[in-house]
């Protein structure tokens, strides 16, 4: 049988403690795999295990469920781990390091990169983790939520921590211009279009008020040079301009 | 009747386009309100509207559904908006600015702070938004997911964008030590305990090898000075030490 141990230690284990509903275990598996996480551990799950209902909800993330390790205690589930986080609302009456999900993502990446075994605890649906559980972890991850409506369910908590794990492991530019067929045009190509446009506008009489001309041209520049237009788009603009000019000339001719 | 217009513009409108299932509209409302978002717009929702099923799934976020504005077209739904984002996997064959959810959170906060009306589009469950929709937005938000298992549902996408909105609006330290009853002890209090501990260890003979003593003390310091122990915890340690010493002395006496 494949078990969670067969997976390489290259990702944190997500440990679901005394989960009540099979649906939530399935949804959690699905949320995990979206972010490349496939090491699940279940401490005393309440549903019969394995569970068809959980598989149905996992919708394709079945392999996570099949490899999940079922444990009889939190001690057993964390025995081989070196760093353990818990997810919880801000705990009362307990001196704990509280970190954001982002900080958790950053720390988990660093620990895993150093070859450490990392785990994250998720408590039962209604009650969450108890203070005794929170006392034995390295830090508590608290998701910032609306204080007047804090209603994150188990799979959503799994999703958010998984997202922060993923986010800090992939090199995605915060913002980029996406194009399949052609890249951003170089300045010469764009400039030659802009110059042609200005020439045509001069020809058409649009820039005839000499006083206004410099400001008008500056505005045209400001508009076009910030577009990050691609070569393809520059060609399109050339085509459009040609059409417009031809139509204008065609109209003029009959006169 | 309360409508979405009655809400202040202090948060982005989340626009669900041609959503198929009432469950997903309800779950989306619940996800939104977790992060303080209460402006929902529905473009041609497929379920009967209003929907009891959606209310059931919203579990308490009913006010978001009640105030949701139903629109007949995307044009109508975005007419009053100044900045519009779409959520989508990376679009093909389209030159679009692609941004991360984090970048979206940062930008949305800046736009809203400048008094601008902002919206985010979420496409239908199976198909997502079509290229015609993506062509009219300012940028496309793409969540980084496992390329071998990209299976985010509608409410999960709403949750992640909502989370990034929330995250960039609240001042939460990335990491902090949480304690209700007492704060981190000042160095003097901690040091007085450490000094007492060393004195007791000397007395007990634990530090009797003179050669080893400096390194042992350094190790004790390294361990205790990084704990960020609170005043309460320093008192507890004093108490523990007193007990241990007393027991030792008590044991010794009978001899």
């Amino acid at each position: 049988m494949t078990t969670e141990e067969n997976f390489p230690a290259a990702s944190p284990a997500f440990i679901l403690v005394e989960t009540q509903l099979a649906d939530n275990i399935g949804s959690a598996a699905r949320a995990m795999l979206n972010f490349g996480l496939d090491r699940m551990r279940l401490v005393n799950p309440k549903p019969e295990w394995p569970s068809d209902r959980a598989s149905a909800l996992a919708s394709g993330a079945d392999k996570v469920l099949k490899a999940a390790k079922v444990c009889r205690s939190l001690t057993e589930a964390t025995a081989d781990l070196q760093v353990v986080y818990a997810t919880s609302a801000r705990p009362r009456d307990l001196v704990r390091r509280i970190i954001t999900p982002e900080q958790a993502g950053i720390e988990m990446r660093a620990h895993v990169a150093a070859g450490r075994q990392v785990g994250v605890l998720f408590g039962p649906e209604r009650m969450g983790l108890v203070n005794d559980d929170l006392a034995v972890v390295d830090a508590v991850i608290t998701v910032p939520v609306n204080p007047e409506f804090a209603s994150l369910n188990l799979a959503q908590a799994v999703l958010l921590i998984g997202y922060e794990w993923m986010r800090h492991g992939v090199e995605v530019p915060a913002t980029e211009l996406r194009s399949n067929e052609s890249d951003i045009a170089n300045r010469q190509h764009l400039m030659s279009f802009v110059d042609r446009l200005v020439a045509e506008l001069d020809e058409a009489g649009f820039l005839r008020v000499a006083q206004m001309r410099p400001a008008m041209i500056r505005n045209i520049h400001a508009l076009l040079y910030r577009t990050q237009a691609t070569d393809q788009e520059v060609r399109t603009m050339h085509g459009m301009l040609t059409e417009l000019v031809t139509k204008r000339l065609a109209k003029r001719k009959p006169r």
Side-chain angles (χ1 to χ4, degrees), chain A:
Chain A
M1 206 186 100
T2 315
T3 66
E4 185 257 354
E5 267 93 340
N6 293 110
F7 284 114
S11 68
F14 273 27
I15 302 164
L16 275 50
V17 181
E18 295 183 1
T19 310
Q20 302 288 321
L21 299 175
D23 292 42
N24 291 333
I25 300 176
S27 300
R30 180 182 170 183
M32 284 172 63
L33 198 54
N34 265 293
F35 299 116
L37 294 159
D38 49 17
R39 301 174 70 209
M40 178 184 265
R41 294 178 184 184
L42 302 170
V43 178
N44 290 329
K46 295 302 163 201
E48 287 275 310
W49 198 259
S51 153
D52 289 342
R53 180 72 192 158
S55 297
L57 268 289
S59 55
D62 233 54
K63 69 164 187 170
V64 177
L65 296 179
K66 286 210 178 93
K69 182 180 167 186
V70 179
C71 306
R72 266 182 286 182
S73 68
L74 194 52
T75 309
E76 182 191 336
T78 57
D80 62 326
L81 302 180
Q82 295 164 280
V83 182
V84 181
Y85 296 95
T87 52
S88 173
R90 298 174 69 84
R92 293 179 204 156
D93 311 320
L94 202 64
V95 182
R96 302 278 53 207
R97 195 165 65 95
I98 309 292
I99 63 175
T100 60
E102 175 176 41
Q103 177 68 19
I106 294 166
E107 290 185 14
M108 289 191 297
R109 284 284 173 187
H111 286 307
V112 167
R116 296 194 190 106
Q117 289 283 349
V118 177
V120 186
L121 309 184
F122 296 87
E125 289 91 335
R126 279 179 193 283
M127 303 299 293
L129 295 165
V130 296
N131 269 359
D132 280 354
D133 301 333
L134 299 180
V136 298
V137 299
D138 294 273
V140 174
I141 308 169
T142 296
V143 179
V145 286
N146 178 359
E148 283 158 34
F149 186 82
S151 174
L152 284 184
N153 68 26
L154 176 58
Q156 289 173 327
V158 166
L159 185 84
L160 291 172
I161 308 306
Y163 163 74
E164 287 288 3
W165 159 260
M166 178 87 180
R167 198 161 80 76
H168 290 95
V170 288
E171 287 292 330
V172 181
T175 176
E176 74 175 309
L177 190 72
R178 167 72 174 177
S179 163
N180 269 359
E181 76 281 344
S182 100
D183 207 349
I184 300 173
N186 64 33
R187 293 317 250 185
Q188 193 193 349
H189 286 162
L190 184 56
M191 204 181 306
S192 76
F193 170 75
V194 174
D195 290 348
R196 188 186 152 210
L197 176 63
V198 169
E200 291 290 358
L201 290 173
D202 270 328
E203 172 75 19
F206 181 78
L207 298 172
R208 64 183 170 274
V209 183
Q211 230 175 318
M212 305 281 284
R213 195 173 176 281
M216 293 293 280
I217 288 175
R218 205 158 43 238
N219 288 345
I220 292 167
H221 283 186
L223 179 67
L224 288 170
Y225 284 125
R226 75 166 183 263
T227 57
Q228 295 195 308
T230 63
D231 285 319
Q232 177 58 52
E233 288 170 329
V234 171
R235 284 195 294 275
T236 302
M237 288 193 286
H238 271 296
M240 283 164 39
L241 185 56
T242 302
E243 276 311 291
L244 292 170
V245 169
T246 311
K247 282 269 154 56
R248 178 165 57 78
L249 294 176
K251 268 187 185 167
R252 193 186 282 171
K253 267 179 189 165
R255 279 183 202 171

